[in-house]
């Protein structure tokens, strides 16, 4: 029997799953060497993040397998959002089920949500410069590399690239 993928707003009971999946996906992809990294401590603060942003989850057969955070300009979690943009961050899928369509479904839900918000005309995101799979997904969905907005992780040589999709 085929399983159903549901994209829905996160609830408090999802927080531990979101935290675990976020850390696991970043570690699995090789972006960080240890779960003790400062950024991975930050991403596990799901309740604090949810207090100031929207979080969507992907659920398959009752199990949360992915999540994404939606932020607006001027909010605590916004890195790059400009006026009229919906920025998304931390689009993650459990490494155990990656390449199952959950990431693409979450991305589609982000775009659909952006279209519902009256003053949003663009979806934006930052991704790692070497994150080929992520970049391929965004480009396949029509996002364009906005190279003039690329930036560096503070105090590092790590370049982050910005993509935008005009609605």
């Amino acid at each position: 029997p085929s399983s159903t993928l549901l994209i829905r707003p996160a609830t408090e009971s999802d927080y531990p799953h979101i935290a675990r999946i976020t850390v696991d996906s970043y570690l699995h992809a090789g972006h960080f060497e240890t779960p003790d990294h400062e950024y991975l401590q930050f991403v596990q603060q799901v309740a604090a993040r949810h207090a100031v942003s929207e979080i969507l989850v992907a659920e398959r057969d009752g199990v949360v397998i992915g999540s994404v955070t939606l932020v607006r300009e001027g909010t605590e979690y916004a890195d790059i959002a400009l006026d009229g943009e919906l920025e998304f961050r931390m689009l993650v899928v459990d490494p155990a089920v990656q390449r199952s369509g959950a990431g693409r479904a979450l991305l589609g839900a982000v775009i659909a949500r952006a279209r519902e918000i009256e003053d949003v005309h663009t979806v934006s995101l930052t991704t790692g410069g070497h994150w080929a799979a992520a970049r391929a997904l965004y480009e396949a969905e029509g996002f364009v590399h906005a190279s003039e907005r690329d930036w560096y992780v503070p105090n590092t040589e790590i370049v982050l690239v910005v993509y935008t999709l005009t609605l």
Side-chain angles (χ1 to χ4, degrees), residues 34-79:
T34 165
D36 301 327
H37 190 280
E38 181 183 15
Y39 186 73
L40 296 184
Q41 300 301 310
F42 166 74
V43 300
Q44 290 182 75
Q45 298 165 11
V46 181
R49 186 181 353 148
H50 200 201
V52 295
S53 62
E54 278 186 74
I55 301 178
L56 301 177
V57 295
E59 181 185 285
R60 180 173 282 132
D61 302 327
V63 178
V64 172
I65 60 167
S67 75
V68 63
T69 299
L70 311 177
V71 298
R72 298 295 304 271
E73 177 206 23
T75 61
E76 179 184 351
Y77 282 82
D79 274 337

